Amino acid sequence: VQLQASGGGLVQAGGSLGLSCAASGTIFSIPVMAWYRQAPGKQRELVASIARNGDTDYADFVSGRFTITRDNAKKTVSLQMNTLKPEDTAVYYCKADVKRYNVYSATKTYWGQGTQVTVSS
């Protein structure tokens, strides 16, 4: 299983960016997909997650600025980030909890390669 993230880049404070991540390989289902981020010198932290049924969960710092969506058929997850702040600067990682073969398969976690988001003040 591979996760390929795209998007990110440099944006001014108050601007918007979108991230996308596509899963490929032998996949039966992906119960949960998520975005994490890691700023220099800090631990990786959850930004948002979305279940297969569309239920979402956001970190408090998102404060309504970000929206996570997924396409189950395409095995993709996206993160639309609005009203970006300098403190949102970090490497953003997508994560997928995957069942590879059937409903009884163990759920394994896979990570994307990370994409840099830089917000200038």
Side-chain angles (χ1 to χ4, degrees), residues 73-86:
K74 295 181 179 179
K75 300 183 182 66
T76 59
V77 61
S78 298
L79 185 70
Q80 177 63 38
M81 302 182 290
N82 300 323
T83 319
L84 283 161
K85 305 174 182 179

Side-chain angles (χ1 to χ4, degrees), residues 30-33 50-54 68-72 76-78:
I30 309 177
V32 179
M33 303 186 84
I50 183 166
R52 182 172 174 79
N53 66 1
I68 188 171
T69 57
R70 65 184 285 172
D71 185 321
N72 291 330
T76 59
V77 61
S78 298

Side-chain angles (χ1 to χ4, degrees), residues 12-25:
Q12 289 188 332
S16 299
L17 279 176
L19 306 179
S20 293
C21 178
S24 62

Side-chain angles (χ1 to χ4, degrees), residues 3-104:
L3 298 180
Q4 181 65 48
S6 60
L10 174 64
V11 65
Q12 289 188 332
S16 299
L17 279 176
L19 306 179
S20 293
C21 178
S24 62
T26 301
I27 297 171
F28 172 76
S29 71
I30 309 177
V32 179
M33 303 186 84
W35 287 96
Y36 283 70
R37 72 184 188 184
Q38 187 167 18
K42 295 188 176 182
Q43 290 188 331
R44 191 173 297 188
E45 60 182 353
L46 174 69
V47 176
S49 66
I50 183 166
R52 182 172 174 79
N53 66 1
D55 288 346
T56 58
D57 185 34
Y58 293 93
D60 290 342
F61 60 76
V62 169
S63 300
R65 300 180 296 129
F66 298 175
T67 302
I68 188 171
T69 57
R70 65 184 285 172
D71 185 321
N72 291 330
K74 295 181 179 179
K75 300 183 182 66
T76 59
V77 61
S78 298
L79 185 70
Q80 177 63 38
M81 302 182 290
N82 300 323
T83 319
L84 283 161
K85 305 174 182 179
E87 50 264 43
D88 293 318
T89 296
V91 177
Y92 284 69
Y93 297 89
C94 59
K95 189 191 83 166
D97 295 330
V98 175
K99 289 185 177 291
R100 295 200 66 191
Y101 304 107
N102 54 54
V103 66
Y104 304 108

Side-chain angles (χ1 to χ4, degrees), residues 97-119:
D97 295 330
V98 175
K99 289 185 177 291
R100 295 200 66 191
Y101 304 107
N102 54 54
V103 66
Y104 304 108
S105 297
T107 301
K108 295 187 177 181
T109 296
Y110 297 87
W111 291 90
Q113 81 279 16
T115 183
Q116 178 70 46
V117 171
T118 302
V119 184

